[in-house]
Amino acid sequence: NPFPDGFYEDSASAYLFIDQCDRIAIGDYENNYKYLRRDGSITASKLSKNHYHIFEVSEQIEKYININMSNKSYYATLVYANAVLQLLNRISMSKEEYKQIFMMYRAKFRKDTLSILRKHDITFKSKIYLIVLCTTPQFFQIFSNAVERKKKNV
């Protein structure tokens, strides 16, 4: 079985599969992705200690990046940003839990953001989210709500 047990098993193995590819085809699938939240799924549940497993997965990916892609070590910051975004945007939690998760990696984001903004291999959208993760939980919430409203109007 190539997938480890537990939460975020896809994230814990997808990067290994991708790294084995000779070529990857990328298309513009914006607005074609529909996410189904099943009852009992990770994203339909309230925040628990199991959700924090995504940060352990992020640490594994960071180690892999540092060993195999040392010239792209800034990718690790984007992995952590994605983990924070997944939790903040998909998991039900209290205001205090929201703030705690937001603040966990803000210092890391602030440290690496300027160098990432100069990179040409990072999308504009990723750069914007990283900038917003350097602000406050309140601003991030306003930003996220505006993005959701825009998606519904498209």
Side-chain angles (χ1 to χ4, degrees):
N1 184 2
F3 294 101
D5 291 333
F7 278 29
Y8 304 103
E9 70 284 348
D10 53 343
S11 297
S13 50
Y15 70 99
L16 297 170
F17 298 137
I18 291 169
D19 195 39
Q20 295 300 311
C21 296
D22 293 326
R23 291 179 298 170
I24 299 173
I26 299 174
D28 181 11
Y29 297 107
E30 182 111 10
N31 297 323
N32 289 326
Y33 180 79
K34 302 293 181 205
Y35 192 83
L36 177 64
R37 289 181 67 164
R38 299 180 287 104
D39 287 341
S41 72
I42 294 170
T43 57
S45 60
K46 289 194 179 290
L47 184 67
S48 72
K49 65 180 178 117
N50 291 327
H51 289 98
Y52 286 89
H53 182 64
I54 194 154
F55 297 114
E56 293 171 24
V57 169
S58 297
E59 287 174 22
Q60 292 170 6
I61 296 171
E62 179 177 31
K63 288 176 186 172
Y64 187 86
I65 289 170
N66 289 336
I67 291 168
N68 298 290
M69 306 168 65
S70 59
N71 62 329
K72 305 251 186 210
S73 61
Y74 55 92
Y75 282 6
T77 299
L78 298 171
V79 169
Y80 284 102
N82 182 58
V84 169
L85 289 169
Q86 281 191 48
L87 289 182
L88 295 181
N89 288 328
R90 294 184 183 164
I91 308 300
S92 175
M93 64 187 77
S94 71
K95 274 186 167 183
E96 192 53 44
E97 290 168 328
Y98 187 94
K99 182 178 179 182
Q100 177 192 12
I101 289 171
F102 185 92
M103 301 302 282
M104 283 174 71
Y105 289 97
R106 188 169 76 167
K108 181 179 189 62
F109 301 149
R110 285 182 171 181
K111 179 178 79 67
D112 295 341
T113 295
L114 283 179
S115 66
I116 290 172
L117 291 177
R118 294 183 188 107
K119 303 297 181 189
H120 298 290
D121 60 337
I122 305 298
T123 66
F124 180 74
K125 183 177 178 180
S126 293
K127 291 176 182 181
I128 292 297
Y129 272 102
L130 191 59
I131 290 168
V132 174
L133 285 171
C134 291
T135 63
T136 65
Q138 296 83 1
F139 182 80
F140 178 80
Q141 186 71 57
I142 291 167
F143 176 82
S144 294
N145 291 341
V147 168
E148 283 304 310
R149 279 194 305 276
K150 186 174 189 297
K151 283 180 184 177
K152 289 177 183 175
N153 292 331
V154 171

mmCIF file with all atom_site columns, all heavy atoms in Angstrom, residues 26-34 123-126 129 147-148 150-152 154:
data_model
loop_
_atom_site.group_PDB
_atom_site.id
_atom_site.type_symbol
_atom_site.label_atom_id
_atom_site.label_alt_id
_atom_site.label_comp_id
_atom_site.label_asym_id
_atom_site.label_entity_id
_atom_site.label_seq_id
_atom_site.pdbx_PDB_ins_code
_atom_site.Cartn_x
_atom_site.Cartn_y
_atom_site.Cartn_z
_atom_site.occupancy
_atom_site.B_iso_or_equiv
_atom_site.pdbx_formal_charge
_atom_site.auth_seq_id
_atom_site.auth_comp_id
_atom_site.auth_asym_id
_atom_site.auth_atom_id
_atom_site.pdbx_PDB_model_num
ATOM 1   N N   . ILE A 1 26  ? -0.036  19.980 -17.272 1.00 0.00 ? 26  ILE A N   1
ATOM 2   C CA  . ILE A 1 26  ? -0.782  20.924 -16.443 1.00 0.00 ? 26  ILE A CA  1
ATOM 3   C C   . ILE A 1 26  ? -1.797  21.621 -17.330 1.00 0.00 ? 26  ILE A C   1
ATOM 4   O O   . ILE A 1 26  ? -1.483  22.050 -18.440 1.00 0.00 ? 26  ILE A O   1
ATOM 5   C CB  . ILE A 1 26  ? 0.151   21.959 -15.783 1.00 0.00 ? 26  ILE A CB  1
ATOM 6   C CG1 . ILE A 1 26  ? 1.153   21.235 -14.879 1.00 0.00 ? 26  ILE A CG1 1
ATOM 7   C CG2 . ILE A 1 26  ? -0.650  22.986 -15.000 1.00 0.00 ? 26  ILE A CG2 1
ATOM 8   C CD1 . ILE A 1 26  ? 2.201   22.132 -14.300 1.00 0.00 ? 26  ILE A CD1 1
ATOM 9   N N   . GLY A 1 27  ? -3.012  21.735 -16.844 1.00 0.00 ? 27  GLY A N   1
ATOM 10  C CA  . GLY A 1 27  ? -4.056  22.415 -17.592 1.00 0.00 ? 27  GLY A CA  1
ATOM 11  C C   . GLY A 1 27  ? -4.729  23.457 -16.730 1.00 0.00 ? 27  GLY A C   1
ATOM 12  O O   . GLY A 1 27  ? -4.505  23.527 -15.523 1.00 0.00 ? 27  GLY A O   1
ATOM 13  N N   . ASP A 1 28  ? -5.543  24.266 -17.349 1.00 0.00 ? 28  ASP A N   1
ATOM 14  C CA  . ASP A 1 28  ? -6.281  25.297 -16.628 1.00 0.00 ? 28  ASP A CA  1
ATOM 15  C C   . ASP A 1 28  ? -7.629  24.717 -16.222 1.00 0.00 ? 28  ASP A C   1
ATOM 16  O O   . ASP A 1 28  ? -8.571  24.690 -17.007 1.00 0.00 ? 28  ASP A O   1
ATOM 17  C CB  . ASP A 1 28  ? -6.465  26.531 -17.498 1.00 0.00 ? 28  ASP A CB  1
ATOM 18  C CG  . ASP A 1 28  ? -7.194  27.637 -16.776 1.00 0.00 ? 28  ASP A CG  1
ATOM 19  O OD1 . ASP A 1 28  ? -7.376  27.537 -15.546 1.00 0.00 ? 28  ASP A OD1 1
ATOM 20  O OD2 . ASP A 1 28  ? -7.597  28.610 -17.422 1.00 0.00 ? 28  ASP A OD2 1
ATOM 21  N N   . TYR A 1 29  ? -7.690  24.214 -14.998 1.00 0.00 ? 29  TYR A N   1
ATOM 22  C CA  . TYR A 1 29  ? -8.918  23.603 -14.506 1.00 0.00 ? 29  TYR A CA  1
ATOM 23  C C   . TYR A 1 29  ? -9.613  24.475 -13.477 1.00 0.00 ? 29  TYR A C   1
ATOM 24  O O   . TYR A 1 29  ? -10.388 23.996 -12.684 1.00 0.00 ? 29  TYR A O   1
ATOM 25  C CB  . TYR A 1 29  ? -8.617  22.224 -13.912 1.00 0.00 ? 29  TYR A CB  1
ATOM 26  C CG  . TYR A 1 29  ? -8.076  21.269 -14.952 1.00 0.00 ? 29  TYR A CG  1
ATOM 27  C CD1 . TYR A 1 29  ? -6.745  20.901 -14.953 1.00 0.00 ? 29  TYR A CD1 1
ATOM 28  C CD2 . TYR A 1 29  ? -8.897  20.769 -15.942 1.00 0.00 ? 29  TYR A CD2 1
ATOM 29  C CE1 . TYR A 1 29  ? -6.251  20.040 -15.911 1.00 0.00 ? 29  TYR A CE1 1
ATOM 30  C CE2 . TYR A 1 29  ? -8.418  19.912 -16.904 1.00 0.00 ? 29  TYR A CE2 1
ATOM 31  C CZ  . TYR A 1 29  ? -7.093  19.546 -16.883 1.00 0.00 ? 29  TYR A CZ  1
ATOM 32  O OH  . TYR A 1 29  ? -6.612  18.708 -17.824 1.00 0.00 ? 29  TYR A OH  1
ATOM 33  N N   . GLU A 1 30  ? -9.310  25.741 -13.487 1.00 0.00 ? 30  GLU A N   1
ATOM 34  C CA  . GLU A 1 30  ? -9.927  26.683 -12.554 1.00 0.00 ? 30  GLU A CA  1
ATOM 35  C C   . GLU A 1 30  ? -11.445 26.613 -12.704 1.00 0.00 ? 30  GLU A C   1
ATOM 36  O O   . GLU A 1 30  ? -11.978 26.584 -13.806 1.00 0.00 ? 30  GLU A O   1
ATOM 37  C CB  . GLU A 1 30  ? -9.434  28.100 -12.835 1.00 0.00 ? 30  GLU A CB  1
ATOM 38  C CG  . GLU A 1 30  ? -9.979  29.119 -11.884 1.00 0.00 ? 30  GLU A CG  1
ATOM 39  C CD  . GLU A 1 30  ? -8.918  29.683 -10.969 1.00 0.00 ? 30  GLU A CD  1
ATOM 40  O OE1 . GLU A 1 30  ? -7.739  29.431 -11.189 1.00 0.00 ? 30  GLU A OE1 1
ATOM 41  O OE2 . GLU A 1 30  ? -9.298  30.372 -10.038 1.00 0.00 ? 30  GLU A OE2 1
ATOM 42  N N   . ASN A 1 31  ? -12.131 26.585 -11.610 1.00 0.00 ? 31  ASN A N   1
ATOM 43  C CA  . ASN A 1 31  ? -13.595 26.541 -11.537 1.00 0.00 ? 31  ASN A CA  1
ATOM 44  C C   . ASN A 1 31  ? -14.195 25.228 -12.024 1.00 0.00 ? 31  ASN A C   1
ATOM 45  O O   . ASN A 1 31  ? -15.399 25.133 -12.177 1.00 0.00 ? 31  ASN A O   1
ATOM 46  C CB  . ASN A 1 31  ? -14.220 27.723 -12.301 1.00 0.00 ? 31  ASN A CB  1
ATOM 47  C CG  . ASN A 1 31  ? -13.838 29.042 -11.697 1.00 0.00 ? 31  ASN A CG  1
ATOM 48  O OD1 . ASN A 1 31  ? -13.733 29.184 -10.485 1.00 0.00 ? 31  ASN A OD1 1
ATOM 49  N ND2 . ASN A 1 31  ? -13.592 30.028 -12.538 1.00 0.00 ? 31  ASN A ND2 1
ATOM 50  N N   . ASN A 1 32  ? -13.382 24.229 -12.290 1.00 0.00 ? 32  ASN A N   1
ATOM 51  C CA  . ASN A 1 32  ? -13.906 22.927 -12.678 1.00 0.00 ? 32  ASN A CA  1
ATOM 52  C C   . ASN A 1 32  ? -13.820 21.931 -11.531 1.00 0.00 ? 32  ASN A C   1
ATOM 53  O O   . ASN A 1 32  ? -14.236 20.803 -11.668 1.00 0.00 ? 32  ASN A O   1
ATOM 54  C CB  . ASN A 1 32  ? -13.135 22.365 -13.885 1.00 0.00 ? 32  ASN A CB  1
ATOM 55  C CG  . ASN A 1 32  ? -13.451 23.140 -15.132 1.00 0.00 ? 32  ASN A CG  1
ATOM 56  O OD1 . ASN A 1 32  ? -14.560 23.614 -15.311 1.00 0.00 ? 32  ASN A OD1 1
ATOM 57  N ND2 . ASN A 1 32  ? -12.465 23.295 -15.993 1.00 0.00 ? 32  ASN A ND2 1
ATOM 58  N N   . TYR A 1 33  ? -13.285 22.338 -10.419 1.00 0.00 ? 33  TYR A N   1
ATOM 59  C CA  . TYR A 1 33  ? -13.069 21.449 -9.294  1.00 0.00 ? 33  TYR A CA  1
ATOM 60  C C   . TYR A 1 33  ? -14.212 21.619 -8.310  1.00 0.00 ? 33  TYR A C   1
ATOM 61  O O   . TYR A 1 33  ? -14.475 22.726 -7.833  1.00 0.00 ? 33  TYR A O   1
ATOM 62  C CB  . TYR A 1 33  ? -11.733 21.799 -8.633  1.00 0.00 ? 33  TYR A CB  1
ATOM 63  C CG  . TYR A 1 33  ? -11.381 20.945 -7.446  1.00 0.00 ? 33  TYR A CG  1
ATOM 64  C CD1 . TYR A 1 33  ? -10.869 19.671 -7.611  1.00 0.00 ? 33  TYR A CD1 1
ATOM 65  C CD2 . TYR A 1 33  ? -11.560 21.410 -6.154  1.00 0.00 ? 33  TYR A CD2 1
ATOM 66  C CE1 . TYR A 1 33  ? -10.533 18.879 -6.534  1.00 0.00 ? 33  TYR A CE1 1
ATOM 67  C CE2 . TYR A 1 33  ? -11.230 20.634 -5.057  1.00 0.00 ? 33  TYR A CE2 1
ATOM 68  C CZ  . TYR A 1 33  ? -10.717 19.377 -5.253  1.00 0.00 ? 33  TYR A CZ  1
ATOM 69  O OH  . TYR A 1 33  ? -10.391 18.597 -4.185  1.00 0.00 ? 33  TYR A OH  1
ATOM 70  N N   . LYS A 1 34  ? -14.901 20.554 -8.039  1.00 0.00 ? 34  LYS A N   1
ATOM 71  C CA  . LYS A 1 34  ? -15.989 20.573 -7.052  1.00 0.00 ? 34  LYS A CA  1
ATOM 72  C C   . LYS A 1 34  ? -15.587 19.677 -5.901  1.00 0.00 ? 34  LYS A C   1
ATOM 73  O O   . LYS A 1 34  ? -15.311 18.504 -6.085  1.00 0.00 ? 34  LYS A O   1
ATOM 74  C CB  . LYS A 1 34  ? -17.303 20.077 -7.661  1.00 0.00 ? 34  LYS A CB  1
ATOM 75  C CG  . LYS A 1 34  ? -17.766 20.866 -8.856  1.00 0.00 ? 34  LYS A CG  1
ATOM 76  C CD  . LYS A 1 34  ? -18.142 22.271 -8.475  1.00 0.00 ? 34  LYS A CD  1
ATOM 77  C CE  . LYS A 1 34  ? -18.633 23.014 -9.699  1.00 0.00 ? 34  LYS A CE  1
ATOM 78  N NZ  . LYS A 1 34  ? -18.484 24.413 -9.609  1.00 0.00 ? 34  LYS A NZ  1
ATOM 79  N N   . THR A 1 123 ? 3.376   30.979 -8.588  1.00 0.00 ? 123 THR A N   1
ATOM 80  C CA  . THR A 1 123 ? 2.239   31.689 -9.173  1.00 0.00 ? 123 THR A CA  1
ATOM 81  C C   . THR A 1 123 ? 1.887   32.944 -8.384  1.00 0.00 ? 123 THR A C   1
ATOM 82  O O   . THR A 1 123 ? 2.150   33.040 -7.176  1.00 0.00 ? 123 THR A O   1
ATOM 83  C CB  . THR A 1 123 ? 0.982   30.796 -9.231  1.00 0.00 ? 123 THR A CB  1
ATOM 84  O OG1 . THR A 1 123 ? 0.554   30.508 -7.893  1.00 0.00 ? 123 THR A OG1 1
ATOM 85  C CG2 . THR A 1 123 ? 1.243   29.513 -10.006 1.00 0.00 ? 123 THR A CG2 1
ATOM 86  N N   . PHE A 1 124 ? 1.269   33.874 -9.072  1.00 0.00 ? 124 PHE A N   1
ATOM 87  C CA  . PHE A 1 124 ? 0.814   35.112 -8.453  1.00 0.00 ? 124 PHE A CA  1
ATOM 88  C C   . PHE A 1 124 ? -0.156  34.811 -7.312  1.00 0.00 ? 124 PHE A C   1
ATOM 89  O O   . PHE A 1 124 ? -0.077  35.392 -6.238  1.00 0.00 ? 124 PHE A O   1
ATOM 90  C CB  . PHE A 1 124 ? 0.159   36.010 -9.516  1.00 0.00 ? 124 PHE A CB  1
ATOM 91  C CG  . PHE A 1 124 ? -0.333  37.314 -8.974  1.00 0.00 ? 124 PHE A CG  1
ATOM 92  C CD1 . PHE A 1 124 ? 0.560   38.318 -8.647  1.00 0.00 ? 124 PHE A CD1 1
ATOM 93  C CD2 . PHE A 1 124 ? -1.684  37.542 -8.792  1.00 0.00 ? 124 PHE A CD2 1
ATOM 94  C CE1 . PHE A 1 124 ? 0.117   39.535 -8.149  1.00 0.00 ? 124 PHE A CE1 1
ATOM 95  C CE2 . PHE A 1 124 ? -2.139  38.746 -8.287  1.00 0.00 ? 124 PHE A CE2 1
ATOM 96  C CZ  . PHE A 1 124 ? -1.238  39.753 -7.967  1.00 0.00 ? 124 PHE A CZ  1
ATOM 97  N N   . LYS A 1 125 ? -1.064  33.867 -7.557  1.00 0.00 ? 125 LYS A N   1
ATOM 98  C CA  . LYS A 1 125 ? -2.055  33.489 -6.542  1.00 0.00 ? 125 LYS A CA  1
ATOM 99  C C   . LYS A 1 125 ? -1.365  32.979 -5.270  1.00 0.00 ? 125 LYS A C   1
ATOM 100 O O   . LYS A 1 125 ? -1.747  33.355 -4.158  1.00 0.00 ? 125 LYS A O   1
ATOM 101 C CB  . LYS A 1 125 ? -2.983  32.426 -7.110  1.00 0.00 ? 125 LYS A CB  1
ATOM 102 C CG  . LYS A 1 125 ? -4.097  32.003 -6.198  1.00 0.00 ? 125 LYS A CG  1
ATOM 103 C CD  . LYS A 1 125 ? -4.989  30.982 -6.904  1.00 0.00 ? 125 LYS A CD  1
ATOM 104 C CE  . LYS A 1 125 ? -6.086  30.487 -6.017  1.00 0.00 ? 125 LYS A CE  1
ATOM 105 N NZ  . LYS A 1 125 ? -6.937  29.493 -6.714  1.00 0.00 ? 125 LYS A NZ  1
ATOM 106 N N   . SER A 1 126 ? -0.352  32.137 -5.415  1.00 0.00 ? 126 SER A N   1
ATOM 107 C CA  . SER A 1 126 ? 0.383   31.632 -4.247  1.00 0.00 ? 126 SER A CA  1
ATOM 108 C C   . SER A 1 126 ? 1.066   32.769 -3.502  1.00 0.00 ? 126 SER A C   1
ATOM 109 O O   . SER A 1 126 ? 1.100   32.786 -2.273  1.00 0.00 ? 126 SER A O   1
ATOM 110 C CB  . SER A 1 126 ? 1.430   30.604 -4.679  1.00 0.00 ? 126 SER A CB  1
ATOM 111 O OG  . SER A 1 126 ? 0.803   29.452 -5.172  1.00 0.00 ? 126 SER A OG  1
ATOM 112 N N   . TYR A 1 129 ? -1.607  34.728 -1.442  1.00 0.00 ? 129 TYR A N   1
ATOM 113 C CA  . TYR A 1 129 ? -1.987  34.020 -0.217  1.00 0.00 ? 129 TYR A CA  1
ATOM 114 C C   . TYR A 1 129 ? -0.871  34.069 0.822   1.00 0.00 ? 129 TYR A C   1
ATOM 115 O O   . TYR A 1 129 ? -1.128  34.229 2.016   1.00 0.00 ? 129 TYR A O   1
ATOM 116 C CB  . TYR A 1 129 ? -2.393  32.573 -0.509  1.00 0.00 ? 129 TYR A CB  1
ATOM 117 C CG  . TYR A 1 129 ? -3.852  32.442 -0.843  1.00 0.00 ? 129 TYR A CG  1
ATOM 118 C CD1 . TYR A 1 129 ? -4.267  32.286 -2.154  1.00 0.00 ? 129 TYR A CD1 1
ATOM 119 C CD2 . TYR A 1 129 ? -4.812  32.493 0.157   1.00 0.00 ? 129 TYR A CD2 1
ATOM 120 C CE1 . TYR A 1 129 ? -5.628  32.179 -2.460  1.00 0.00 ? 129 TYR A CE1 1
ATOM 121 C CE2 . TYR A 1 129 ? -6.162  32.385 -0.138  1.00 0.00 ? 129 TYR A CE2 1
ATOM 122 C CZ  . TYR A 1 129 ? -6.563  32.232 -1.447  1.00 0.00 ? 129 TYR A CZ  1
ATOM 123 O OH  . TYR A 1 129 ? -7.898  32.133 -1.734  1.00 0.00 ? 129 TYR A OH  1
ATOM 124 N N   . VAL A 1 147 ? -12.897 36.241 -1.302  1.00 0.00 ? 147 VAL A N   1
ATOM 125 C CA  . VAL A 1 147 ? -12.573 35.258 -2.338  1.00 0.00 ? 147 VAL A CA  1
ATOM 126 C C   . VAL A 1 147 ? -13.763 34.325 -2.551  1.00 0.00 ? 147 VAL A C   1
ATOM 127 O O   . VAL A 1 147 ? -14.133 34.020 -3.691  1.00 0.00 ? 147 VAL A O   1
ATOM 128 C CB  . VAL A 1 147 ? -11.291 34.475 -1.991  1.00 0.00 ? 147 VAL A CB  1
ATOM 129 C CG1 . VAL A 1 147 ? -11.105 33.271 -2.891  1.00 0.00 ? 147 VAL A CG1 1
ATOM 130 C CG2 . VAL A 1 147 ? -10.068 35.386 -2.045  1.00 0.00 ? 147 VAL A CG2 1
ATOM 131 N N   . GLU A 1 148 ? -14.367 33.863 -1.480  1.00 0.00 ? 148 GLU A N   1
ATOM 132 C CA  . GLU A 1 148 ? -15.529 32.966 -1.589  1.00 0.00 ? 148 GLU A CA  1
ATOM 133 C C   . GLU A 1 148 ? -16.700 33.649 -2.281  1.00 0.00 ? 148 GLU A C   1
ATOM 134 O O   . GLU A 1 148 ? -17.372 33.045 -3.113  1.00 0.00 ? 148 GLU A O   1
ATOM 135 C CB  . GLU A 1 148 ? -15.948 32.446 -0.205  1.00 0.00 ? 148 GLU A CB  1
ATOM 136 C CG  . GLU A 1 148 ? -15.055 31.365 0.322   1.00 0.00 ? 148 GLU A CG  1
ATOM 137 C CD  . GLU A 1 148 ? -14.949 30.171 -0.625  1.00 0.00 ? 148 GLU A CD  1
ATOM 138 O OE1 . GLU A 1 148 ? -15.986 29.655 -1.086  1.00 0.00 ? 148 GLU A OE1 1
ATOM 139 O OE2 . GLU A 1 148 ? -13.804 29.759 -0.900  1.00 0.00 ? 148 GLU A OE2 1
ATOM 140 N N   . LYS A 1 150 ? -16.517 36.063 -4.433  1.00 0.00 ? 150 LYS A N   1
ATOM 141 C CA  . LYS A 1 150 ? -16.150 36.210 -5.844  1.00 0.00 ? 150 LYS A CA  1
ATOM 142 C C   . LYS A 1 150 ? -16.351 34.885 -6.587  1.00 0.00 ? 150 LYS A C   1
ATOM 143 O O   . LYS A 1 150 ? -16.856 34.857 -7.703  1.00 0.00 ? 150 LYS A O   1
ATOM 144 C CB  . LYS A 1 150 ? -14.708 36.669 -5.981  1.00 0.00 ? 150 LYS A CB  1
ATOM 145 C CG  . LYS A 1 150 ? -14.299 36.976 -7.400  1.00 0.00 ? 150 LYS A CG  1
ATOM 146 C CD  . LYS A 1 150 ? -12.910 37.561 -7.436  1.00 0.00 ? 150 LYS A CD  1
ATOM 147 C CE  . LYS A 1 150 ? -12.509 38.090 -8.759  1.00 0.00 ? 150 LYS A CE  1
ATOM 148 N NZ  . LYS A 1 150 ? -12.377 37.337 -9.868  1.00 0.00 ? 150 LYS A NZ  1
ATOM 149 N N   . LYS A 1 151 ? -15.975 33.771 -5.961  1.00 0.00 ? 151 LYS A N   1
ATOM 150 C CA  . LYS A 1 151 ? -16.155 32.452 -6.588  1.00 0.00 ? 151 LYS A CA  1
ATOM 151 C C   . LYS A 1 151 ? -17.631 32.177 -6.873  1.00 0.00 ? 151 LYS A C   1
ATOM 152 O O   . LYS A 1 151 ? -17.972 31.597 -7.897  1.00 0.00 ? 151 LYS A O   1
ATOM 153 C CB  . LYS A 1 151 ? -15.600 31.335 -5.690  1.00 0.00 ? 151 LYS A CB  1
ATOM 154 C CG  . LYS A 1 151 ? -14.113 31.222 -5.709  1.00 0.00 ? 151 LYS A CG  1
ATOM 155 C CD  . LYS A 1 151 ? -13.687 30.079 -4.793  1.00 0.00 ? 151 LYS A CD  1
ATOM 156 C CE  . LYS A 1 151 ? -12.198 29.966 -4.677  1.00 0.00 ? 151 LYS A CE  1
ATOM 157 N NZ  . LYS A 1 151 ? -11.799 28.895 -3.728  1.00 0.00 ? 151 LYS A NZ  1
ATOM 158 N N   . LYS A 1 152 ? -18.501 32.563 -5.954  1.00 0.00 ? 152 LYS A N   1
ATOM 159 C CA  . LYS A 1 152 ? -19.932 32.314 -6.115  1.00 0.00 ? 152 LYS A CA  1
ATOM 160 C C   . LYS A 1 152 ? -20.531 33.175 -7.231  1.00 0.00 ? 152 LYS A C   1
ATOM 161 O O   . LYS A 1 152 ? -21.506 32.782 -7.865  1.00 0.00 ? 152 LYS A O   1
ATOM 162 C CB  . LYS A 1 152 ? -20.675 32.573 -4.808  1.00 0.00 ? 152 LYS A CB  1
ATOM 163 C CG  . LYS A 1 152 ? -20.390 31.518 -3.764  1.00 0.00 ? 152 LYS A CG  1
ATOM 164 C CD  . LYS A 1 152 ? -21.070 31.807 -2.465  1.00 0.00 ? 152 LYS A CD  1
ATOM 165 C CE  . LYS A 1 152 ? -20.685 30.744 -1.443  1.00 0.00 ? 152 LYS A CE  1
ATOM 166 N NZ  . LYS A 1 152 ? -21.222 31.019 -0.133  1.00 0.00 ? 152 LYS A NZ  1
ATOM 167 N N   . VAL A 1 154 ? -18.893 34.011 -9.980  1.00 0.00 ? 154 VAL A N   1
ATOM 168 C CA  . VAL A 1 154 ? -18.281 33.680 -11.278 1.00 0.00 ? 154 VAL A CA  1
ATOM 169 C C   . VAL A 1 154 ? -19.083 32.638 -11.987 1.00 0.00 ? 154 VAL A C   1
ATOM 170 O O   . VAL A 1 154 ? -19.732 31.823 -11.531 1.00 0.00 ? 154 VAL A O   1
ATOM 171 C CB  . VAL A 1 154 ? -16.815 33.194 -11.085 1.00 0.00 ? 154 VAL A CB  1
ATOM 172 C CG1 . VAL A 1 154 ? -16.257 32.642 -12.384 1.00 0.00 ? 154 VAL A CG1 1
ATOM 173 C CG2 . VAL A 1 154 ? -15.964 34.316 -10.570 1.00 0.00 ? 154 VAL A CG2 1
#
